[in-house]
Amino acid sequence: MNTPKKEAGRTLVTRMGPKVLSPLFPWLILLTLILLLLYSSLLSSPPPKPIPTLPSCNLFNGHWVQDPDRTPMYDESCPFHRNAWNCLRNKRDNMGVINSWKWVPRDCDLPRIDPVEFLGLMRNRNIGFVGDSLNENMLVSFLCLLRVADLGAKKWKRKGAWRGAYFPKFNVTVGYHRAVLLAKYEWEPKQHTDGDQDGLKGIYQVDVDIPSDDWANIGDFYDVLVFNTGHWWGFDKFPKETPLTFYRAGEPIYPPLDILSGFKVVVENMASYIQNKVPLKTLKFWRLQSPRHFHGGDWNQNGSCLFNKPLEEQQLDLWFDPSNNGPNKEERLLNRLIEDALQGTDIQLLNLTRLSEFRADAHPAIWLGQKDAVKVWGQDCMHWCLPGVPDTWVDILSQLIRIGLEMQ
């Protein structure tokens, strides 16, 4: 600013010096540069990976719809088949119709497994199934589906496994460890000095607190484990002449447990063992009961499952509610005990029971691939034809595995 000034009759104009800069000015420049650098780094960085979320609906709750365009991904030539379940080879009636049914969850769609994508996700990882033949039924479906992506898959039977397969293109192993009670049990014949008046031939000693050797030490090998038990827990497998007797810490449990109470204690102990001994990072699932569909009597009472379509929803309670005391009553009862035992653990329930209850039409029935099998064993209304319902089990399991791995 110029200021006029009078001196000795003349006006002088003086000029003020330059304004002194604020001491904060350099800091403002530095802050501006930092903000520009941060902004440019955000522009050049890839977008953040979305956080995986659980399905927006319950995959276990829905209904079956017929889709005439739906066909199986594998056929009778799959080398991992078990003969009695290979319903295509055994010429079971209506296999085309059986495999045209699609499970539709109530509020979303269930995609079929993409074997290439799934094995890519599982690269250098392993999946294990532990339990009885219903878990084996699921395993065979899994192996045949995955083989679509790797025709070089080889049979595998190491690490104590009952059976399995190795997929060399992806370095993935899927194995099955047979442990029908999960807990350790051994046959103890009756001593002759005990007398024969009671008709007892001996006992099966069940150690409720000790897992079967078949799977006790496999936790470090598998990245995913799927457990089940329940289908052997009946008087047809262990009649009064050869009963289950329950032990804890090597001593008989008193008062003695009946078979249902013994099942409850075993499941509680096995769930505790899994929680404490299997690595935390391992995805753990417990598959609930697979329903049986014996109609008109149990397997040894001329029970039959010669149906050509699924049951209607209003029929399910008539077949499976324990209060009706039918031949298929035990699965819901056992499920309740399992659900209670798994409370507070990180073991996920794989509740495939309800969707399977509908499918009375999808068992091997009389098409068992062996002469006189029905005469000896009765119809098979417990296991499932392959391809068939277990393929849908695999669709659901593969979705839950994908979500679980992405959330780790």
Side-chain angles (χ1 to χ4, degrees):
M1 177 177 179
N2 296 329
T3 306
K5 193 174 179 183
K6 287 188 177 179
E7 183 179 340
R10 58 181 181 161
T11 301
L12 298 174
V13 178
T14 60
R15 201 177 287 272
M16 294 180 65
K19 184 185 284 186
V20 178
L21 294 175
S22 167
L24 294 176
F25 187 69
W27 295 104
L28 291 172
I29 293 175
L30 180 61
L31 180 60
T32 303
L33 290 172
I34 291 172
L35 290 173
L36 286 171
L37 285 171
L38 286 173
Y39 180 69
S40 63
S41 67
L42 287 173
L43 288 177
S44 60
S45 299
K49 185 178 180 181
I51 298 173
T53 57
L54 292 172
S56 59
C57 69
N58 182 351
L59 294 174
F60 309 125
N61 189 16
H63 61 282
W64 292 93
V65 298
Q66 206 158 16
D67 179 359
D69 296 327
R70 187 179 179 89
T71 56
M73 292 188 184
Y74 60 94
D75 60 22
E76 67 269 25
S77 67
C78 172
F80 304 116
H81 264 301
R82 183 164 166 175
N83 184 52
W85 308 333
N86 191 345
C87 293
L88 288 173
R89 178 169 290 168
N90 298 335
K91 309 299 183 186
R92 193 217 193 280
D93 289 349
N94 297 323
M95 281 298 289
V97 176
I98 287 171
N99 284 290
S100 70
W101 290 95
K102 173 185 177 182
W103 177 249
V104 180
R106 182 153 293 168
D107 298 312
C108 64
D109 189 36
L110 172 66
R112 300 181 79 171
I113 186 174
D114 181 326
V116 174
E117 182 182 272
F118 181 79
L119 280 173
L121 172 71
M122 290 302 302
R123 187 180 297 276
N124 302 322
R125 293 186 173 107
N126 304 313
I127 303 172
F129 290 80
V130 181
D132 57 34
S133 59
L134 271 302
N135 249 13
E136 184 185 3
N137 210 177
M138 186 177 185
L139 168 104
V140 173
S141 166
F142 213 170
L143 298 185
C144 289
L145 285 164
L146 295 182
R147 182 177 175 268
V148 172
D150 188 354
L151 295 179
K154 303 172 183 177
K155 292 182 179 180
W156 180 89
K157 195 176 180 180
R158 291 189 292 275
K159 300 284 184 184
W162 179 270
R163 65 183 302 188
Y166 175 66
F167 299 87
K169 282 175 64 175
F170 301 88
N171 190 31
V172 171
T173 297
V174 183
Y176 165 62
H177 297 257
R178 182 175 170 85
V180 297
L181 303 184
L182 292 184
K184 180 181 179 181
Y185 77 106
E186 293 180 340
W187 169 246
E188 297 287 343
K190 183 177 180 179
Q191 302 300 317
H192 292 298
T193 56
D194 296 338
D196 298 322
Q197 289 83 3
D198 56 8
L200 189 69
K201 297 178 181 178
I203 64 166
Y204 284 97
Q205 177 179 325
V206 183
D207 292 289
V208 300
D209 51 350
I210 303 176
S212 166
D213 291 341
D214 301 277
W215 69 275
N217 300 306
I218 64 172
D220 291 333
F221 181 70
Y222 291 107
D223 302 276
V224 179
L225 282 168
V226 183
F227 297 91
N228 95 299
T229 189
H231 300 96
W232 275 61
W233 293 80
F235 294 106
D236 57 333
K237 297 289 188 183
F238 301 102
K240 62 182 180 179
E241 301 85 23
T242 56
L244 297 177
T245 305
F246 300 96
Y247 284 63
R248 182 186 285 116
E251 298 294 330
I253 296 176
Y254 287 108
L257 302 177
D258 61 35
I259 197 166
L260 197 59
S261 300
F263 173 82
K264 179 177 183 293
V265 174
V266 164
V267 171
E268 289 171 349
N269 278 271
M270 295 303 101
S272 177
Y273 181 89
I274 294 164
Q275 184 72 11
N276 294 322
K277 299 296 184 181
V278 176
L280 184 63
K281 66 177 180 61
T282 303
L283 291 179
K284 310 167 192 77
F285 298 91
W286 195 300
R287 186 183 59 72
L288 295 185
Q289 297 307 96
S290 171
R292 312 181 325 153
H293 286 94
F294 289 101
H295 179 66
D298 215 326
W299 67 273
N300 56 352
Q301 301 167 337
N302 295 318
S304 175
C305 49
L306 299 176
F307 298 91
N308 56 20
K309 64 178 182 178
L311 300 178
E312 300 291 338
E313 186 162 2
Q314 61 268 23
Q315 295 177 278
L316 299 186
D317 285 349
L318 295 174
W319 279 70
F320 301 108
D321 192 311
S323 64
N324 291 323
N325 202 34
N328 310 292
K329 63 181 180 296
E330 75 284 344
E331 45 111 309
R332 291 186 182 181
L333 185 60
L334 296 179
N335 278 357
R336 290 175 200 151
L337 298 177
I338 295 170
E339 290 175 33
D340 290 344
L342 297 188
Q343 291 289 329
T345 73
D346 65 351
I347 306 169
Q348 298 182 54
L349 284 173
L350 189 59
N351 189 356
L352 304 172
T353 303
R354 180 173 174 79
L355 71 89
S356 306
E357 284 184 346
F358 290 94
R359 297 305 304 275
D361 60 314
H363 296 282
I366 61 174
W367 293 274
L368 301 176
Q370 187 176 340
K371 185 179 179 182
D372 297 329
V374 174
K375 187 183 297 183
V376 175
W377 301 107
Q379 291 191 34
D380 187 349
C381 302
M382 174 182 286
H383 301 99
W384 301 90
C385 281
L386 295 177
V389 170
D391 300 341
T392 296
W393 298 355
V394 171
D395 290 339
I396 292 175
L397 176 61
S398 63
Q399 286 295 309
L400 297 178
I401 291 173
R402 176 187 60 79
I403 292 165
L405 291 177
E406 289 175 353
M407 294 183 72
Q408 286 184 343

